[in-house]
Amino acid sequence: MTQPDPRTDALAAIGWREDAAMAEALAQHPTGRIARVIEQHRSGYRVSDGSDEFAVETPRAWLRKEVSPDDRPAVGDWVLLDARKDQIEVLLPRHSLLKRAAAGEHYRSQPIAANVDTVFVVCGLDLDFNPRRLERYHLLTLGSGARMVLLLTKADLCPNLDDCLAQLEPLRLAGVPILAVNAKDRGTLRPLDQWLGPGTSSVLVGSSGAGKSTVTNTLLGIEKQRTKEVRGHDSRGRHTTTHRALIRLPTGGCLIDTPGMRELKLSGEEAIDAGAFDDVSALAEQCRFRDCAHQREPGCAVRAALESGTLDPDRFANFLKLHGELVAAADSLALQQARKAEARVPGKAQKKRLDEKYPQR
Ligand SMILES: Nc1nc2c(ncn2[C@@H]2O[C@H](COP(=O)(O)OP(=O)(O)OP(=O)(O)O)[C@@H](O)[C@H]2O)c(=O)[nH]1
Ligand SMILES: [Mg+2]
Ligand SMILES: [Zn+2]
């Protein structure tokens, strides 16, 4: 049994939990000062060491294009600082990382939150409600190492809650806890407490206007985060929260509030068979032909389920869409990695260019 590192004494209140990988990393850096990233701005980071909160810089080398965004600190990360506590020197090992691909043509990972146990996907029961988007969140979360809990807000404004819940039955059957709440009412948020106890870390994600900051404020008991009404005609929010921030809750846990996300692009590292569509995979296994494309093949269990109404055609269409996106993203990632590997061998990339220009006969 190894002794706990005395540097970690003050960190319990900001969610510290040590595993073997972390203990090993700490042993390698016996003098670094431990802190947690609590805010991420365009200009830099704020961290907490358990007693103080302050701004720090990252080494310039980490900002280079070749450094993967996954290797830079995200909110929730544990880092080691230099002796003067003004620069991050080491990124400590993570037990989870929620990420998506950044908007744009090229696949570039964009970490959202690190070291969280629970991802609360927040969705309004107004015009924000969209089961297909929630399936996408589910796929993304399954690869993160954290559990997903679905938080349906604005239940107080929803005239057809049962109908909405019925559309989410496959998600519930896949093991996602689903709660319908009024984000302004602490009583309806009470079931969340089971995931918000001391030592836990969670993140709120969802569209702008879904109610993430309202949930944060209600859990805190004060209006710390700014909130703003949504547009009447389409329930869209106004991107009120502008940076990710980790907040300590009275329940003892840490909660990360994030800006609303417009687009949820898959990173290419998710797995379509990781559990988000087990109902579809189970049906496909019953098809007569192993390579059934679920088009016109005889004995197709997927088509039978679609025709009998046990499989929602919109869910199946979304499965095909996400599967296609994943294949494209994974291809693009593989190509990028191959290019990087090529660039690391001096002369090889140049030789390839010459070979292309002057093909040998
Ligand atoms: N009636 C009702 N209003 C809610 C509920 N949840 C959120 N709202 C309202 O919805 C609006 C948007 O809420 P915010 O908390 O600002 O949304 P957000 O998800 O933080 O949005 P961004 O910061 O832009 O990403 C506010 O006017 C809230 O008061 C709810 O459960 N019931
Ligand atoms: Mg907000
Ligand atoms: Zn089939």
Side-chain angles (χ1 to χ4, degrees):
M1 200 52 204
T2 49
Q3 288 297 313
D5 193 312
R7 286 176 290 174
T8 63
D9 287 352
L11 305 175
I14 50 170
W16 176 259
R17 213 171 352 153
E18 195 162 316
D19 56 20
M22 189 66 105
E24 200 186 313
L26 289 186
Q28 277 173 15
H29 302 277
T31 57
R33 292 158 185 268
I34 309 171
R36 189 167 203 192
V37 176
I38 57 166
E39 281 178 36
Q40 186 177 0
H41 300 268
R42 262 165 229 261
S43 55
Y45 298 96
R46 275 182 77 78
V47 300
S48 165
D49 63 5
S51 37
D52 291 321
E53 297 179 359
F54 46 94
V56 290
E57 297 193 342
T58 42
R60 281 188 158 274
W62 293 17
L63 302 172
R64 286 207 315 263
K65 208 170 83 227
E66 307 82 72
V67 177
S68 162
D70 287 2
D71 297 331
R72 296 178 193 150
V75 171
D77 262 322
W78 293 99
V79 294
L80 291 177
L81 309 177
D82 63 336
R84 292 172 52 203
K85 299 210 284 188
D86 52 18
Q87 174 150 303
I88 296 176
E89 291 196 320
V90 177
L91 177 59
L92 290 166
R94 299 161 167 152
H95 68 78
S96 72
L97 180 67
L98 180 69
K99 59 182 181 177
R100 61 170 174 173
E105 239 175 83
H106 299 290
Y107 279 86
R108 196 153 171 81
S109 168
Q110 188 175 79
I112 299 165
N115 297 315
V116 292
D117 310 290
T118 308
V119 175
F120 290 106
V121 175
V122 184
C123 174
L125 284 160
D126 48 9
L127 294 169
D128 184 40
F129 185 74
N130 179 339
R132 306 290 83 81
R133 186 174 352 101
L134 298 175
E135 287 165 356
R136 183 178 284 269
Y137 270 111
H138 189 205
L139 187 57
L140 217 70
T141 310
L142 280 170
S144 71
R147 75 171 75 79
M148 167 169 162
V149 172
L150 178 53
L151 207 54
L152 299 169
T153 54
K154 313 191 190 185
D156 52 311
L157 305 175
C158 177
N160 55 342
L161 181 58
D162 288 346
D163 180 37
C164 292
L165 290 176
Q167 295 181 57
L168 301 176
E169 194 56 11
L171 217 56
R172 193 185 66 78
L173 289 172
V176 177
I178 302 178
L179 305 166
V181 302
N182 171 357
K184 298 179 187 176
D185 174 359
R186 183 64 177 94
T188 68
L189 295 182
R190 202 56 73 190
L192 266 68
D193 291 3
Q194 63 185 296
W195 297 290
L196 300 173
T200 63
S201 298
S202 311
V203 64
L204 297 161
V205 293
S207 318
S208 176
K212 301 176 293 298
S213 300
T214 306
V215 169
T216 306
N217 288 342
T218 303
L219 291 172
L220 269 175
I222 52 164
E223 300 293 305
K224 183 178 169 75
Q225 298 292 92
R226 222 156 63 81
T227 64
K228 210 164 182 183
E229 301 87 58
V230 299
R231 299 198 302 212
H233 64 285
D234 59 5
S235 308
R236 291 256 180 112
R238 296 155 199 269
H239 293 278
T240 312
T241 304
T242 52
H243 64 265
R244 307 186 184 113
L246 182 140
I247 292 160
R248 287 157 68 169
L249 294 177
T251 48
C254 297
L255 184 66
I256 301 172
D257 188 12
T258 65
M261 291 197 271
R262 286 191 183 88
E263 198 189 353
L264 208 60
K265 202 163 127 183
L266 301 177
S267 77
E269 290 171 52
E270 301 80 6
I272 197 80
D273 55 2
F277 290 97
D278 280 354
D279 51 340
V280 179
S281 326
L283 284 168
E285 264 170 36
Q286 291 164 34
C287 294
R288 187 178 304 162
F289 301 109
R290 277 202 75 90
D291 60 348
C292 184
H294 322 305
Q295 300 291 327
R296 283 189 192 79
E297 293 90 338
C300 173
V302 171
R303 289 226 70 80
L306 287 168
E307 277 154 28
S308 70
T310 48
L311 175 61
D312 180 345
D314 292 339
R315 177 170 167 81
F316 183 58
N318 199 33
F319 163 79
L320 294 176
K321 182 166 184 260
L322 292 170
H323 185 39
E325 275 182 40
L326 255 183
V327 170
D331 279 355
S332 167
L333 266 183
L335 192 69
Q336 266 177 35
Q337 269 151 13
R339 277 199 194 126
K340 265 192 199 154
E342 203 169 63
R344 274 199 290 273
V345 183
K348 198 173 163 195
Q350 191 192 2
K351 179 176 180 312
K352 184 163 176 253
R353 279 197 298 277
L354 284 173
D355 284 348
E356 278 163 7
K357 209 165 166 190
Y358 308 107
Q360 296 183 358
R361 289 170 207 204

